[in-house]
Amino acid sequence: MMSRRTENVTRVDVRIPNELYEEIVAIALHHFNAKIHHRSNKPEVTPTILELIKIGIAHIESMLPVTKDLTNQKVTDELRQQIELLNLRLRTVENKLLGVNITAPIAKSETTGDEKILSDMELSELLGVSNLLISDYRVKGKKPRGQALAKALTEQWEVKGEGWVRKSS
């Protein structure tokens, strides 16, 4: 009789219910791309079983509730409390943002002397583009991709403070 233990592995006889075995075969095929044995034409399930055992051990070691004993119930209750606190914080932030417009702020038009200073929003409406493109160009110097818009911004408009002024011809 051959030994059941070598330096690296131990052979174990395990009786697995047929339904569970079919689930393992399905997992082996769909999730682990199991090789098909050349003689039996059935998927090789040993690597899948070993991986599932490792996943189960990692699950238990991570202290996630697996059974309904008192220790795991305490962990479950703590997780529920943390989730409730996070939900409360999220609702608070959502309520604060409820009436806030998330587009670039609209600055009021100013007039200095004979020139009118336009905000990013006003210039974007005038040119028919997003105010974010205008703002990115003014704040970050990021030229817009469209050739016509880039030309209009560089040749016809200039930044003055927080707004835009039409260049004098």
Side-chain angles (χ1 to χ4, degrees):
M1 184 172 152
M2 291 181 17
S3 173
R4 299 177 65 78
R5 182 179 179 104
T6 65
E7 186 177 320
N8 296 324
V9 295
T10 301
R11 183 179 291 269
V12 178
D13 290 330
V14 178
R15 296 182 187 276
I16 300 174
N18 292 335
E19 292 109 27
L20 181 58
Y21 182 79
E22 293 304 318
E23 282 185 61
I24 293 170
V25 169
I27 291 170
L29 288 171
H30 300 305
H31 296 284
F32 294 101
N33 298 324
K35 295 179 183 177
I36 303 299
H37 192 273
H38 66 283
R39 286 189 182 160
S40 67
N41 286 328
K42 294 181 181 177
E44 295 178 4
V45 293
T46 300
T48 300
I49 292 171
L50 294 174
E51 192 62 32
L52 291 172
I53 291 170
K54 288 178 189 176
I55 292 169
I57 291 171
H59 183 72
I60 289 172
E61 288 176 351
S62 70
M63 297 300 294
L64 293 175
V66 175
T67 62
K68 299 211 184 255
D69 65 18
L70 293 175
T71 307
N72 288 327
Q73 187 62 41
K74 182 179 175 188
V75 171
T76 303
D77 291 342
E78 287 177 15
L79 288 173
R80 281 192 188 113
Q81 287 175 347
Q82 289 176 355
I83 290 170
E84 286 175 24
L85 288 173
L86 286 172
N87 279 334
L88 180 63
R89 290 174 63 190
L90 178 62
R91 271 189 243 113
T92 304
V93 170
E94 286 174 339
N95 289 337
K96 286 182 179 179
L97 292 175
L98 194 60
V100 176
N101 184 357
I102 58 172
T103 58
I106 300 174
K108 295 193 178 190
S109 300
E110 299 175 26
T111 313
T112 56
D114 60 342
E115 60 188 19
K116 183 178 178 187
I117 298 176
L118 300 179
S119 68
D120 293 343
M121 183 64 80
E122 290 169 323
L123 183 60
S124 70
E125 289 172 2
L126 183 70
L127 297 175
V129 296
S130 167
N131 65 325
L132 298 175
L133 291 173
I134 305 295
S135 176
D136 281 350
Y137 179 67
R138 181 181 55 80
V139 175
K140 301 176 187 172
K142 184 177 173 184
K143 283 193 178 180
R145 289 187 183 164
Q147 198 172 21
L149 178 59
K151 186 175 180 183
L153 286 178
T154 56
E155 293 180 4
Q156 299 171 8
W157 296 92
E158 64 183 348
V159 176
K160 188 163 194 174
E162 293 291 312
W164 294 88
V165 178
R166 187 178 296 273
K167 287 184 178 179
S168 13
S169 330

